[in-house]
Amino acid sequence: MTTAAADRSRLLALIGSSWRTQAIYAMVLLGIADRLCQGDPVGLQELATEVGADQGALRRLLRGLRVLGLIRESDAGFALTPMGQLLNSGDGGESLADWVRWWAGDLQWRTWGALTEAVREGRPMRERFAPASGYEVHAASAGAAHVFHSAMAQLSAAVGPAVIACLRGAAACKVIDIGGGRGELLGQVLLARPETTGVLLEQNHALPTAREHLTQVGVIARCTVAQGDFFREVPAGADIYLLKSILHNWADAQAERLLRECRRAMKADARLAVIERAIDDDSPHEADVRADLNMLVGLGGLERTVNELHALFERCGLRACSVFDAGEYRIFLCRTGM
Ligand SMILES: C[S@@+](CC[C@H](N)C(=O)[O-])C[C@H]1O[C@@H](n2cnc3c(N)ncnc32)[C@H](O)[C@@H]1O
């Protein structure tokens, strides 16, 4: 193939890549991974009956999923590949099924369709397709809120061990997870530190999912699930504050307001663990760019570079004493600047 023909073919693949998202979404909504994870390969007819699909159409979807590396086919029938296994909803901390439900769902899908307007106007587009803007949208539907908080938890689950590893120090202490979602990170920290107590600070729509999760993992007795607005008040007196995937939701003015509130709440020896992506402007990773544009179109936030994050901390009287790698994220361990 000539270079021009290869470019054309690659471009056509990029233009049409929405098929991938929707094929994966269909796989999750139909419950294909949930059925196939149960053991032996399953034949087409049986699978079509069990997931409630047209046999001919399902065969074509399965062929697409095979091309994506999620399904394999043998004489015995269809089975999941190890990557496809990650779409099984019952796969504990490993599953990404709720992330698919959120990312490919109606609100996200339609919002991304307005990226051009977001770039023209420099403002987020979520409110165009939802009854409210920003996180207020989750107040309108308990079901949608549950999907969002479970989806976030599926991303956060992987950073727990790195956060625990960098939080050495007194075993008996108090941790506050600011905007902690359903408490995935806080739950992991409390499980790893049996003498530590915790507070999850969140908006109302997150609280039922958080109580359910923290009860399920067995730490609710050492944990307060508190409704609050982190722009108004971050509770004082904790030894460790966690702030994961919060700053990227907000433009600089609001991010500074929140960090100043954290600074005000922190004792002289308290630590603030900020967990964020750090975008590399010279050689950006696709995952960081995707997250950044997602912030632009949905919430009006942004992914920042390491230098931008350090500058933000400094303007708010905080200093990141250590920075740790945690997969796609970095952990900035901050102290009050003095
Ligand atoms: C991107 S999610 C991150 C959740 C969690 N920290 C994680 O990483 O899994 C941002 C969270 O901030 C919460 N949030 C947004 N505005 C808030 C506010 N003003 N006060 C408290 N929580 C807020 C949202 O409800 C949402 O759960």
Side-chain angles (χ1 to χ4, degrees), residues 276-294:
E276 287 287 338
R277 294 174 175 281
I279 202 162
D280 181 339
D281 251 346
D282 296 328
S283 175
H285 294 293
E286 182 175 338
D288 294 336
V289 172
R290 183 173 65 227
D292 182 53
L293 291 176
N294 187 41

Side-chain angles (χ1 to χ4, degrees), residues 208-233:
T209 314
R211 283 198 195 94
E212 183 186 312
H213 175 72
L214 293 164
T215 303
Q216 209 169 49
V217 297
V219 298
I220 194 76
R222 286 187 282 131
C223 187
T224 306
V225 175
Q227 187 273 328
D229 175 355
F230 52 47
F231 289 119
R232 283 173 186 271
E233 189 179 3

Side-chain angles (χ1 to χ4, degrees), residues 135-136 138 148-149 152-157 177-185 201-203 205-206 228-232 242-246 248-250 275 295 299 329:
Y135 282 100
E136 297 310 313
H138 299 304
F148 171 73
H149 292 299
M152 268 317 296
Q154 291 182 343
L155 291 198
S156 298
D177 194 352
I178 305 165
R182 78 153 191 199
E184 175 62 39
L185 196 53
L201 180 71
E202 254 296 347
Q203 295 182 319
H205 52 79
D229 175 355
F230 52 47
F231 289 119
R232 283 173 186 271
L242 303 175
L243 198 62
K244 176 177 173 292
S245 301
I246 302 294
H248 78 153
N249 290 161
W250 307 99
I275 302 125
M295 286 301 117
L299 290 169
Y329 294 89

Side-chain angles (χ1 to χ4, degrees), residues 8 11 16 91 200 218 222 240 257 261 263 278 322:
R8 184 180 156 78
L11 181 58
D91 207 13
L200 181 95
R222 286 187 282 131
I240 299 169
R257 191 172 151 199
E261 185 48 35
R263 166 77 180 77
S322 341

